[in-house]
Structures are given as structure tokens and as C-alpha cells.
Amino acid sequence: MTYSNAKTTDESLPRRKPPKTQGLSLNGFWHDQRFRNFVAQAIVIAVVIGFFVYIIGNAQRALSDQGIKTGFGFLMDSAGFAIGESLIPFSASDSFLRAYGVGILNTLKVSFAAIILASIIGVLLGVARLSRNVMLNRFASIYVEVFRNTPQLLQIVFWYMLAVQLPGPKQAFSFGDIAFLSNRGLVLPGPGEGSGFGFALIGLVIAAAGVVFWRRHLEKRLRQTGKKINGLPLSIAIMVIVPAVIWTVFGSPSQIEVPALRGFNIRGGLQLSPEFLALFLGLSLYIAAFIAEIVRAGIASVNKGQIEAATAMGIKNADVLWRVVLPQAMRVIVPPTTAQYVSLLKNSSLGVMIGYPELFNLNNTILTASGNTVEAIIIMMAIYLSLTTTIAVIMNWYNRSVQLKER
């Protein structure tokens, strides 16, 4: 038996033809996982939209058979009812569309105010929960347990019943004869009619945004150069000068109305109704308990070694909290806090139980007065979806800004 000494080389092996490229054929796309996921999602969305279109169309046909008009043309009809509390003028002769505007503004007013108070209380309680002071720690723990484990509607009704049990205007609690608390609500000094304080408020928001960007610039400069610049004087100047300039240009009110007892009621100033106060306290104090736990968890997620290292470098406790702990904790705090803000806005609809004219309450009145049930419900759902989506977009933008950037 003889063996060949010839070595097998690559040239001696038969060459395989490369596979044919599938190009842009449907079969090639179908083997792409992302394409299949997109098709599946599109089918689900189409089915859901088709289902709702069928339901709405069926309801409209049923209403038409009963002689009930459908469509959104009713928005221009006269409302025929008055609204007790409104940020803009409203009368019974105004349209349903303007009534929706009143409801949106009332919802935003109580929700925005409650978000601010809930955030402040939540941060303070979250820090207190980690305090070594026993009394402070216990107080924060009791607050969280009480407000988090009782129904929010019960809390709103409690604050409302407490507000209406206050004495009347003649026996109202006076705070330096410039603010009064009675069963008609809380009355504070406020701008008179036709004043430019609305523009000053816009200027305050612009100034706050400017201060945020200024502080971010100082933080970036500190990381690059290691030099700390005191930005507090300029921040205060921005918060004072910008609103003052806008106030002067767009109105410059000469005086602030101080409330006073006239007849059987307290007139003048800024009127906060018992319904507003009850809903405001019920929303803010309840959500603050959840934010407190979120803040506590976020601070606890920061490695203790970093805190010890910052302390060993001689950094003050306040700077350790604001420059070392909170910037890292915010990456944990922001996402669940966003959910709480969205929940707060949606739960403002509980104001219907105490008569506060927010969106849900006014929508029920519009629904009854116009008879356009399906359209009114669609409008209400679209408004709530738009408001909550706006909050989510803003908070997601902020969340991306505090995330660690990959190099």
C-alpha cells in the first residue's frame, strides 16, 4: 500500500459558492428580529385602535337611532351653568369649551401647588428618616406610616370636614390682620384686578430656569478647574431682577390688596376655598409620604465609602449632602418620583367628592348638560393623557440629565 506524499492545500479543496444575498426581500426582513417585533407591535396597535373605533362608532349609531346628536360641535354651545371657582372669567353664557379650560386650569393649579409642597415635605422627611436624632427619626417614621397606610380619599374628606367646621368670617382666625382663616377658606394678601402679577409670575419661572442653568455652569466649572465660585449672590439677583423688570414692563401694579371683613364676608386679596385647601392638603401630604421613602432609598443607595472619603477630605456636611450624596441619589430618586407626580395629577379627580371644580367634576357637569356622553369622556381621557404625558416627558428629560454619561 502506497501513500501519496502530496500535501493537501487550500487550492486543492473544492471552492464553495458564497450564499446568495437576499437583498431587500420580505423573507430577509422576516428573519430580522427587530422587524418581527415591529410588525407584532403594529398589529397589536392596529387591533386596539380598530376595537375602540368600532366601539365608538357603535355607540354613536345607537345614540343617533335614539335621536341624540353626536360629534364635538357641542363645545361651542352655551354651557348654561356657573362655576364657583375659576382662574379665568366664566359665566353661564360661555361655551362648554371654555368650561373645559376652567377645569384644566383648576386641575393644574391644585396639582402644581401640591407637587411643590409634596416634594419639599418628602425630601425633608426622607432625610429625617436617616437622621441619628431619635425624635426626628421617629416623627418621620410615624408620619410615613400614618399617611401612606390610610386611603387618600379619607384624608381629603378629613381635611374638608375640618375646614368647614372652622368659625365663620366674623370669628375668623386672624394672622396679623392681613390673612384670615374661616369656614370660607383662607384669604391672603394678593394682587388687585388688572395687575401685572401674572407677568411677574412668568418672569419668576424664567428666572428660576436661569438660576438652574447658572448653577449647572458653576458645577461644570468646578469639575474642570477645581475652583469653587459662590453663585448665591448672582442667583438671588436673577430671582429678584428678572421678575421685577417683567413686572415693570407689563403692568407694575401699585398696590397689593389686603383682605378685610366687609359685611358678612372677607373681601379682597387671594381667596383659597375650603375645597381647594382640602384637596391641596390631601394630595400633597399623602404623596409626600411616598416621596419620603423614595428619597430615603435613594440616599441609602449611595456607597458609604464615598461619604467617608468626602468627610475625610474636610468637606462640610452640607456640601457632602448636596454635592456628593444627592447627585448620585437623584439617579435612583427621579424615576419613581415621576410616577408619584403623575399619580398626584390623576388623583386630583378625587376633588369631585368635595365639590372642587376640577376637570373630572366639570366634565360630569358638561356630560349631563350637553348629553354628549361619549365625546365628553373622550375629551377628558385625552386631556388627562396629555397632562400626565407632559409630566413624564419633563421628568424623563431631567432624569437623563442626571444620569452618568458613558465615556
Side-chain angles (χ1 to χ4, degrees):
M1 182 179 296
T2 59
Y3 297 92
S4 173
N5 292 328
K7 295 183 179 180
T8 304
T9 61
D10 293 338
E11 297 179 356
S12 62
L13 294 176
R15 293 184 177 273
R16 295 184 179 180
K17 295 182 179 180
K20 294 182 179 180
T21 57
Q22 296 175 346
L24 299 178
S25 65
L26 180 61
N27 188 33
F29 274 126
W30 187 249
H31 285 288
D32 188 348
Q33 181 67 34
R34 291 176 298 179
F35 177 75
R36 293 201 302 269
N37 293 340
F38 173 78
V39 171
Q41 294 173 9
I43 292 174
V44 171
I45 293 174
V47 170
V48 172
I49 293 176
F51 173 76
F52 280 105
V53 169
Y54 170 77
I55 294 296
I56 294 172
N58 190 35
Q60 289 181 333
R61 286 192 297 271
L63 293 174
S64 299
D65 294 340
Q66 298 178 8
I68 301 176
K69 63 178 182 178
T70 59
F72 295 94
F74 77 97
L75 292 174
M76 296 297 124
D77 296 341
S78 176
F81 59 85
I83 301 175
E85 185 173 349
S86 173
L87 289 175
I88 58 177
F90 184 85
S91 63
S93 60
D94 289 326
S95 65
F96 287 117
L97 182 62
R98 191 174 182 85
Y100 273 115
V102 173
I104 293 173
L105 291 177
N106 285 344
T107 297
L108 291 176
K109 179 178 73 172
V110 69
S111 299
F112 183 71
I115 283 175
I116 294 176
L117 183 61
S119 301
I120 295 173
I121 296 177
V123 171
L124 294 177
L125 290 174
V127 175
R129 287 271 283 160
L130 299 173
S131 174
R132 296 180 181 178
N133 188 310
V134 177
M135 293 186 61
L136 192 61
N137 189 301
R138 291 296 182 185
F139 170 78
S141 300
I142 293 173
Y143 178 96
V144 170
E145 294 300 326
V146 170
F147 282 89
R148 191 176 61 169
N149 294 308
T150 53
Q152 188 173 20
L153 179 59
L154 178 62
Q155 296 180 31
I156 294 173
V157 173
F158 169 79
W159 293 115
Y160 179 70
M161 297 303 297
L162 187 64
V164 297
Q165 295 300 322
L166 293 172
K170 289 188 175 182
Q171 295 81 28
F173 295 104
S174 175
F175 304 95
D177 290 332
I178 60 173
F180 301 90
L181 180 63
S182 67
N183 57 8
R184 302 289 180 88
L186 178 64
V187 187
L188 302 170
E193 294 185 359
S195 66
F197 275 99
F199 296 103
L201 182 60
I202 296 175
L204 187 63
V205 174
I206 296 174
V211 169
V212 170
F213 283 106
W214 167 243
R215 300 294 297 181
R216 286 186 176 276
H217 171 71
L218 294 181
E219 293 288 343
K220 182 178 180 181
R221 184 187 179 96
L222 177 62
R223 290 193 297 268
Q224 292 176 347
T225 64
K227 296 180 180 180
K228 181 180 179 182
I229 300 177
N230 186 9
L232 183 60
L234 183 57
S235 299
I236 296 176
I238 293 175
M239 293 298 295
V240 173
I241 294 175
V242 174
V245 170
I246 295 180
W247 179 34
T248 303
V249 172
F250 290 98
S252 185
S254 59
Q255 63 180 4
I256 295 178
E257 286 187 353
V258 178
L261 181 64
R262 301 188 185 98
F264 296 98
N265 200 359
I266 300 173
R267 309 289 182 181
L270 179 63
Q271 306 273 343
L272 300 178
S273 66
E275 293 79 12
F276 173 84
L277 293 175
L279 185 59
F280 167 66
L281 292 175
L283 292 173
S284 56
L285 298 182
Y286 177 80
I287 296 297
F290 291 89
I291 294 179
E293 286 297 277
I294 293 171
V295 171
R296 181 186 65 83
I299 294 176
S301 67
V302 179
N303 194 320
K304 292 183 179 180
Q306 299 190 32
I307 301 176
E308 295 173 354
T311 305
M313 293 173 63
I315 302 177
K316 298 179 181 180
N317 292 334
D319 287 335
V320 171
L321 177 63
W322 291 104
R323 298 184 179 278
V324 178
V325 177
L326 285 182
Q328 300 181 71
M330 291 302 292
R331 294 188 282 270
V332 178
I333 292 173
V334 172
T337 302
T338 302
Q340 294 302 321
Y341 288 166
V342 171
S343 176
L344 187 150
L345 189 143
K346 292 188 296 185
N347 290 343
S348 65
S349 60
L350 295 174
V352 68
M353 300 301 298
I354 57 176
Y356 179 72
E358 43 74 41
L359 176 61
F360 185 80
N361 192 359
L362 288 180
N363 187 77
N364 288 342
T365 305
I366 294 172
L367 184 151
T368 304
S370 66
N372 294 75
T373 306
V374 176
E375 292 84 353
I377 293 177
I378 292 174
I379 292 173
M380 182 179 62
M381 292 174 61
I383 293 173
Y384 274 118
L385 180 62
S386 301
L387 295 178
T388 54
T389 302
T390 301
I391 293 177
V393 169
I394 294 174
M395 293 301 293
N396 287 336
W397 169 81
Y398 178 74
N399 184 44
R400 288 192 297 269
S401 68
V402 298
Q403 292 295 322
L404 286 175
K405 303 297 187 299
E406 295 292 342
R407 294 190 178 185

PDB file of all heavy atoms in Angstrom, residues 231-251:
ATOM      1  N   GLY A 231     -22.016  81.147  43.797  1.00  0.00           N
ATOM      2  CA  GLY A 231     -23.023  81.617  42.850  1.00  0.00           C
ATOM      3  C   GLY A 231     -24.287  82.127  43.493  1.00  0.00           C
ATOM      4  O   GLY A 231     -25.238  82.491  42.788  1.00  0.00           O
ATOM      5  N   LEU A 232     -24.340  82.165  44.842  1.00  0.00           N
ATOM      6  CA  LEU A 232     -25.560  82.588  45.524  1.00  0.00           C
ATOM      7  C   LEU A 232     -25.924  84.041  45.252  1.00  0.00           C
ATOM      8  O   LEU A 232     -27.094  84.332  44.972  1.00  0.00           O
ATOM      9  CB  LEU A 232     -25.430  82.339  47.029  1.00  0.00           C
ATOM     10  CG  LEU A 232     -26.662  82.659  47.875  1.00  0.00           C
ATOM     11  CD1 LEU A 232     -27.846  81.815  47.429  1.00  0.00           C
ATOM     12  CD2 LEU A 232     -26.367  82.427  49.360  1.00  0.00           C
ATOM     13  N   PRO A 233     -24.982  84.990  45.309  1.00  0.00           N
ATOM     14  CA  PRO A 233     -25.372  86.394  45.059  1.00  0.00           C
ATOM     15  C   PRO A 233     -26.009  86.604  43.690  1.00  0.00           C
ATOM     16  O   PRO A 233     -27.048  87.272  43.571  1.00  0.00           O
ATOM     17  CB  PRO A 233     -24.048  87.150  45.194  1.00  0.00           C
ATOM     18  CG  PRO A 233     -23.207  86.287  46.080  1.00  0.00           C
ATOM     19  CD  PRO A 233     -23.559  84.893  45.716  1.00  0.00           C
ATOM     20  N   LEU A 234     -25.395  86.051  42.644  1.00  0.00           N
ATOM     21  CA  LEU A 234     -25.957  86.220  41.313  1.00  0.00           C
ATOM     22  C   LEU A 234     -27.299  85.504  41.182  1.00  0.00           C
ATOM     23  O   LEU A 234     -28.217  86.002  40.505  1.00  0.00           O
ATOM     24  CB  LEU A 234     -24.978  85.702  40.258  1.00  0.00           C
ATOM     25  CG  LEU A 234     -25.407  85.891  38.794  1.00  0.00           C
ATOM     26  CD1 LEU A 234     -25.675  87.360  38.500  1.00  0.00           C
ATOM     27  CD2 LEU A 234     -24.355  85.333  37.848  1.00  0.00           C
ATOM     28  N   SER A 235     -27.446  84.341  41.825  1.00  0.00           N
ATOM     29  CA  SER A 235     -28.722  83.613  41.778  1.00  0.00           C
ATOM     30  C   SER A 235     -29.835  84.450  42.397  1.00  0.00           C
ATOM     31  O   SER A 235     -30.941  84.548  41.847  1.00  0.00           O
ATOM     32  CB  SER A 235     -28.588  82.272  42.506  1.00  0.00           C
ATOM     33  OG  SER A 235     -27.612  81.454  41.899  1.00  0.00           O
ATOM     34  N   ILE A 236     -29.559  85.065  43.549  1.00  0.00           N
ATOM     35  CA  ILE A 236     -30.559  85.919  44.197  1.00  0.00           C
ATOM     36  C   ILE A 236     -30.885  87.118  43.313  1.00  0.00           C
ATOM     37  O   ILE A 236     -32.060  87.527  43.179  1.00  0.00           O
ATOM     38  CB  ILE A 236     -30.057  86.371  45.580  1.00  0.00           C
ATOM     39  CG1 ILE A 236     -29.898  85.159  46.507  1.00  0.00           C
ATOM     40  CG2 ILE A 236     -31.013  87.391  46.191  1.00  0.00           C
ATOM     41  CD1 ILE A 236     -29.317  85.494  47.860  1.00  0.00           C
ATOM     42  N   ALA A 237     -29.848  87.692  42.712  1.00  0.00           N
ATOM     43  CA  ALA A 237     -30.065  88.849  41.834  1.00  0.00           C
ATOM     44  C   ALA A 237     -30.958  88.481  40.650  1.00  0.00           C
ATOM     45  O   ALA A 237     -31.854  89.249  40.267  1.00  0.00           O
ATOM     46  CB  ALA A 237     -28.718  89.390  41.345  1.00  0.00           C
ATOM     47  N   ILE A 238     -30.740  87.306  40.054  1.00  0.00           N
ATOM     48  CA  ILE A 238     -31.567  86.865  38.926  1.00  0.00           C
ATOM     49  C   ILE A 238     -33.012  86.688  39.367  1.00  0.00           C
ATOM     50  O   ILE A 238     -33.953  87.117  38.675  1.00  0.00           O
ATOM     51  CB  ILE A 238     -31.009  85.561  38.330  1.00  0.00           C
ATOM     52  CG1 ILE A 238     -29.647  85.815  37.675  1.00  0.00           C
ATOM     53  CG2 ILE A 238     -31.987  84.974  37.305  1.00  0.00           C
ATOM     54  CD1 ILE A 238     -28.975  84.549  37.179  1.00  0.00           C
ATOM     55  N   MET A 239     -33.227  86.045  40.532  1.00  0.00           N
ATOM     56  CA  MET A 239     -34.579  85.787  41.013  1.00  0.00           C
ATOM     57  C   MET A 239     -35.319  87.069  41.355  1.00  0.00           C
ATOM     58  O   MET A 239     -36.560  87.095  41.355  1.00  0.00           O
ATOM     59  CB  MET A 239     -34.525  84.874  42.242  1.00  0.00           C
ATOM     60  CG  MET A 239     -34.029  83.475  41.965  1.00  0.00           C
ATOM     61  SD  MET A 239     -35.090  82.552  40.824  1.00  0.00           S
ATOM     62  CE  MET A 239     -36.582  82.415  41.799  1.00  0.00           C
ATOM     63  N   VAL A 240     -34.600  88.135  41.649  1.00  0.00           N
ATOM     64  CA  VAL A 240     -35.241  89.406  42.007  1.00  0.00           C
ATOM     65  C   VAL A 240     -35.381  90.325  40.793  1.00  0.00           C
ATOM     66  O   VAL A 240     -36.447  90.905  40.552  1.00  0.00           O
ATOM     67  CB  VAL A 240     -34.451  90.120  43.127  1.00  0.00           C
ATOM     68  CG1 VAL A 240     -35.023  91.511  43.382  1.00  0.00           C
ATOM     69  CG2 VAL A 240     -34.476  89.294  44.408  1.00  0.00           C
ATOM     70  N   ILE A 241     -34.324  90.469  40.012  1.00  0.00           N
ATOM     71  CA  ILE A 241     -34.302  91.462  38.937  1.00  0.00           C
ATOM     72  C   ILE A 241     -35.216  91.072  37.780  1.00  0.00           C
ATOM     73  O   ILE A 241     -35.991  91.905  37.282  1.00  0.00           O
ATOM     74  CB  ILE A 241     -32.853  91.667  38.446  1.00  0.00           C
ATOM     75  CG1 ILE A 241     -32.009  92.306  39.553  1.00  0.00           C
ATOM     76  CG2 ILE A 241     -32.836  92.543  37.200  1.00  0.00           C
ATOM     77  CD1 ILE A 241     -30.543  92.435  39.200  1.00  0.00           C
ATOM     78  N   VAL A 242     -35.161  89.797  37.330  1.00  0.00           N
ATOM     79  CA  VAL A 242     -35.946  89.392  36.157  1.00  0.00           C
ATOM     80  C   VAL A 242     -37.443  89.569  36.387  1.00  0.00           C
ATOM     81  O   VAL A 242     -38.132  90.211  35.565  1.00  0.00           O
ATOM     82  CB  VAL A 242     -35.602  87.941  35.759  1.00  0.00           C
ATOM     83  CG1 VAL A 242     -36.532  87.469  34.638  1.00  0.00           C
ATOM     84  CG2 VAL A 242     -34.154  87.836  35.314  1.00  0.00           C
ATOM     85  N   PRO A 243     -38.036  89.054  37.495  1.00  0.00           N
ATOM     86  CA  PRO A 243     -39.473  89.302  37.712  1.00  0.00           C
ATOM     87  C   PRO A 243     -39.801  90.783  37.867  1.00  0.00           C
ATOM     88  O   PRO A 243     -40.847  91.243  37.404  1.00  0.00           O
ATOM     89  CB  PRO A 243     -39.776  88.523  38.994  1.00  0.00           C
ATOM     90  CG  PRO A 243     -38.710  87.506  39.104  1.00  0.00           C
ATOM     91  CD  PRO A 243     -37.489  88.156  38.532  1.00  0.00           C
ATOM     92  N   ALA A 244     -38.888  91.530  38.515  1.00  0.00           N
ATOM     93  CA  ALA A 244     -39.144  92.962  38.709  1.00  0.00           C
ATOM     94  C   ALA A 244     -39.187  93.705  37.378  1.00  0.00           C
ATOM     95  O   ALA A 244     -40.051  94.568  37.153  1.00  0.00           O
ATOM     96  CB  ALA A 244     -38.074  93.558  39.619  1.00  0.00           C
ATOM     97  N   VAL A 245     -38.273  93.369  36.470  1.00  0.00           N
ATOM     98  CA  VAL A 245     -38.254  94.031  35.155  1.00  0.00           C
ATOM     99  C   VAL A 245     -39.522  93.700  34.373  1.00  0.00           C
ATOM    100  O   VAL A 245     -40.176  94.585  33.792  1.00  0.00           O
ATOM    101  CB  VAL A 245     -36.990  93.614  34.379  1.00  0.00           C
ATOM    102  CG1 VAL A 245     -37.077  94.084  32.924  1.00  0.00           C
ATOM    103  CG2 VAL A 245     -35.739  94.174  35.045  1.00  0.00           C
ATOM    104  N   ILE A 246     -39.883  92.399  34.346  1.00  0.00           N
ATOM    105  CA  ILE A 246     -41.091  91.997  33.611  1.00  0.00           C
ATOM    106  C   ILE A 246     -42.332  92.616  34.253  1.00  0.00           C
ATOM    107  O   ILE A 246     -43.266  93.039  33.559  1.00  0.00           O
ATOM    108  CB  ILE A 246     -41.187  90.467  33.571  1.00  0.00           C
ATOM    109  CG1 ILE A 246     -40.017  89.898  32.747  1.00  0.00           C
ATOM    110  CG2 ILE A 246     -42.510  90.019  32.976  1.00  0.00           C
ATOM    111  CD1 ILE A 246     -40.009  88.394  32.645  1.00  0.00           C
ATOM    112  N   TRP A 247     -42.354  92.698  35.587  1.00  0.00           N
ATOM    113  CA  TRP A 247     -43.454  93.323  36.305  1.00  0.00           C
ATOM    114  C   TRP A 247     -43.591  94.790  35.914  1.00  0.00           C
ATOM    115  O   TRP A 247     -44.691  95.312  35.702  1.00  0.00           O
ATOM    116  CB  TRP A 247     -43.210  93.160  37.807  1.00  0.00           C
ATOM    117  CG  TRP A 247     -44.245  93.779  38.692  1.00  0.00           C
ATOM    118  CD1 TRP A 247     -45.594  93.895  38.450  1.00  0.00           C
ATOM    119  CD2 TRP A 247     -44.036  94.352  39.981  1.00  0.00           C
ATOM    120  NE1 TRP A 247     -46.213  94.495  39.506  1.00  0.00           N
ATOM    121  CE2 TRP A 247     -45.291  94.791  40.463  1.00  0.00           C
ATOM    122  CE3 TRP A 247     -42.908  94.535  40.771  1.00  0.00           C
ATOM    123  CZ2 TRP A 247     -45.438  95.400  41.702  1.00  0.00           C
ATOM    124  CZ3 TRP A 247     -43.063  95.121  42.018  1.00  0.00           C
ATOM    125  CH2 TRP A 247     -44.308  95.557  42.467  1.00  0.00           C
ATOM    126  N   THR A 248     -42.471  95.470  35.801  1.00  0.00           N
ATOM    127  CA  THR A 248     -42.497  96.891  35.458  1.00  0.00           C
ATOM    128  C   THR A 248     -42.950  97.112  34.025  1.00  0.00           C
ATOM    129  O   THR A 248     -43.720  98.035  33.730  1.00  0.00           O
ATOM    130  CB  THR A 248     -41.097  97.502  35.654  1.00  0.00           C
ATOM    131  OG1 THR A 248     -40.672  97.292  37.011  1.00  0.00           O
ATOM    132  CG2 THR A 248     -41.110  98.991  35.362  1.00  0.00           C
ATOM    133  N   VAL A 249     -42.490  96.253  33.110  1.00  0.00           N
ATOM    134  CA  VAL A 249     -42.807  96.433  31.693  1.00  0.00           C
ATOM    135  C   VAL A 249     -44.267  96.105  31.401  1.00  0.00           C
ATOM    136  O   VAL A 249     -44.938  96.799  30.625  1.00  0.00           O
ATOM    137  CB  VAL A 249     -41.872  95.572  30.829  1.00  0.00           C
ATOM    138  CG1 VAL A 249     -42.297  95.594  29.361  1.00  0.00           C
ATOM    139  CG2 VAL A 249     -40.432  96.051  30.974  1.00  0.00           C
ATOM    140  N   PHE A 250     -44.817  95.060  32.032  1.00  0.00           N
ATOM    141  CA  PHE A 250     -46.150  94.560  31.675  1.00  0.00           C
ATOM    142  C   PHE A 250     -47.222  94.872  32.717  1.00  0.00           C
ATOM    143  O   PHE A 250     -48.196  94.132  32.822  1.00  0.00           O
ATOM    144  CB  PHE A 250     -46.102  93.045  31.459  1.00  0.00           C
ATOM    145  CG  PHE A 250     -45.354  92.641  30.234  1.00  0.00           C
ATOM    146  CD1 PHE A 250     -44.030  92.230  30.322  1.00  0.00           C
ATOM    147  CD2 PHE A 250     -45.946  92.676  28.986  1.00  0.00           C
ATOM    148  CE1 PHE A 250     -43.333  91.846  29.195  1.00  0.00           C
ATOM    149  CE2 PHE A 250     -45.249  92.296  27.861  1.00  0.00           C
ATOM    150  CZ  PHE A 250     -43.947  91.876  27.963  1.00  0.00           C
ATOM    151  N   GLY A 251     -47.091  95.910  33.464  1.00  0.00           N
ATOM    152  CA  GLY A 251     -48.195  96.230  34.364  1.00  0.00           C
ATOM    153  C   GLY A 251     -47.793  97.061  35.548  1.00  0.00           C
ATOM    154  O   GLY A 251     -48.341  98.121  35.803  1.00  0.00           O
TER     155      GLY A 251
END
